[in-house]
Amino acid sequence: EAQVTQNPRYLITVTGKKLTVTCSQNMNHEYMSWYRQDPGLGLRQIYYSMNVEVTDKGDVPEGYKVSRKEKRNFPLILESPSPNQTSLYFCASSREGEETQYFGPGTRLLVL
Amino acid sequence: GQNIDQPTEMTATEGAIVQINCTYQTSGFNGLFWYQQHAGEAPTFLSYNVLDGLEEKGRFSSFLSRSKGYSYLLLKELQMKDSASYLCAVRDHGAGGYNKLIFGAGTRLAVHP
């Protein structure tokens, strides 16, 4: 089954404790993105990747890192999480030239 | 700059028709998308318009006017399961060949019996 998976789905952590949210897709898509979704603000792009070893900042990259060592994986790293990073995070992937982005199920993060 | 506006909330009655509007401003327009998102779930693709006009897909239709920076999503024969948020997103052709998706804040639709 074609899908985008994220882990963990839910996470409660404390300020400053490094964490990684994994994202994996099995559709051989070139493009992958991370978004955060906050009430009243919609989905905002954090980082994106056009292919292996090619990543760039989105609209709200501060406090986040990403890597794209393999085509299928695009982990999101929070080196020192802060409470303002409490949010719902979505990973998405798409094929170059195609219209549709496929979203993962989301990761709900609470930083205390 | 880039800006997408859509109403925050709408209500409608089961069996009726509802139109959700979206206006946008972007420098490198390269298509407009509508996504449906049920509470706590991932957005799912509904429709895509890149040329002016109406695209129909079952109970859902989407319209685009590029000159007016305007789109709407039309939902017919509303069902209770259509209660969800509807996200308007514009694809912006940016530098480096990457087509970026910019999302509106979403319209929360409540369908009542």
Side-chain angles (χ1 to χ4, degrees):
Chain A
E1 179 190 355
Q3 60 181 352
V4 180
T5 57
Q6 295 178 227
N7 282 291
R9 296 288 315 279
Y10 304 92
L11 180 60
I12 301 174
T13 190
V14 295
T15 298
K17 186 176 181 183
K18 179 180 178 179
L19 67 92
T20 299
V21 185
T22 64
C23 173
S24 183
Q25 50 93 5
N26 63 0
M27 296 169 279
N28 202 36
H29 285 169
E30 291 81 16
Y31 293 160
M32 297 186 75
S33 293
W34 275 104
Y35 295 89
R36 61 179 288 173
Q37 188 173 35
D38 303 289
L41 295 177
L43 283 158
R44 294 179 293 168
Q45 191 179 56
I46 303 169
Y47 268 94
Y48 66 91
S49 170
M50 294 174 69
N51 214 322
V52 175
E53 301 292 0
V54 182
T55 64
D56 207 347
K57 296 176 182 178
D59 295 318
V60 288
E62 294 79 19
Y64 304 94
K65 285 174 58 176
V66 293
S67 68
R68 187 94 182 271
K69 294 186 171 60
E70 307 164 282
K71 199 171 187 179
R72 63 183 294 126
N73 295 324
F74 190 43
L76 179 70
I77 303 154
L78 284 72
E79 294 271 4
S80 183
S82 62
N84 65 12
Q85 292 178 298
T86 291
S87 189
L88 178 58
Y89 291 87
F90 287 103
C91 178
S93 73
S94 60
R95 188 180 302 282
E96 184 177 0
E98 276 193 0
E99 303 141 6
T100 310
Q101 282 203 47
Y102 297 85
F103 284 84
T107 295
R108 194 169 289 279
L109 173 65
L110 173 61
V111 183
L112 299 173
Chain B
Q2 300 156 336
N3 194 46
I4 299 177
D5 288 314
Q6 50 182 132
T8 305
E9 290 186 0
M10 298 182 72
T11 59
T13 305
E14 193 175 14
I17 299 172
V18 71
Q19 177 175 313
I20 303 174
N21 296 324
C22 172
T23 58
Y24 66 88
Q25 291 176 310
T26 185
S27 52
F29 178 82
N30 193 19
L32 187 140
F33 297 77
W34 285 96
Y35 282 82
Q36 181 190 60
Q37 186 179 25
H38 285 99
E41 298 183 9
T44 55
F45 171 79
L46 285 179
S47 69
Y48 168 70
N49 296 70
V50 67
L51 300 176
D52 290 351
L54 190 67
E55 294 282 341
E56 297 186 78
K57 194 183 289 186
R59 294 189 299 114
F60 293 9
S61 304
S62 57
F63 171 83
L64 175 67
S65 168
R66 288 172 296 170
S67 62
K68 295 180 180 176
Y70 168 69
S71 172
Y72 67 72
L73 179 69
L74 195 70
L75 292 77
K76 303 174 190 173
E77 301 168 17
L78 280 171
Q79 303 174 8
M80 297 299 290
K81 67 178 182 179
D82 296 329
S83 292
S85 288
Y86 291 86
L87 314 180
C88 175
V90 171
R91 188 162 63 185
D92 186 86
H93 182 71
Y98 176 70
N99 285 301
K100 178 180 171 180
L101 262 191
I102 305 159
F103 284 85
T107 298
R108 195 162 52 247
L109 174 66
V111 180
H112 299 290

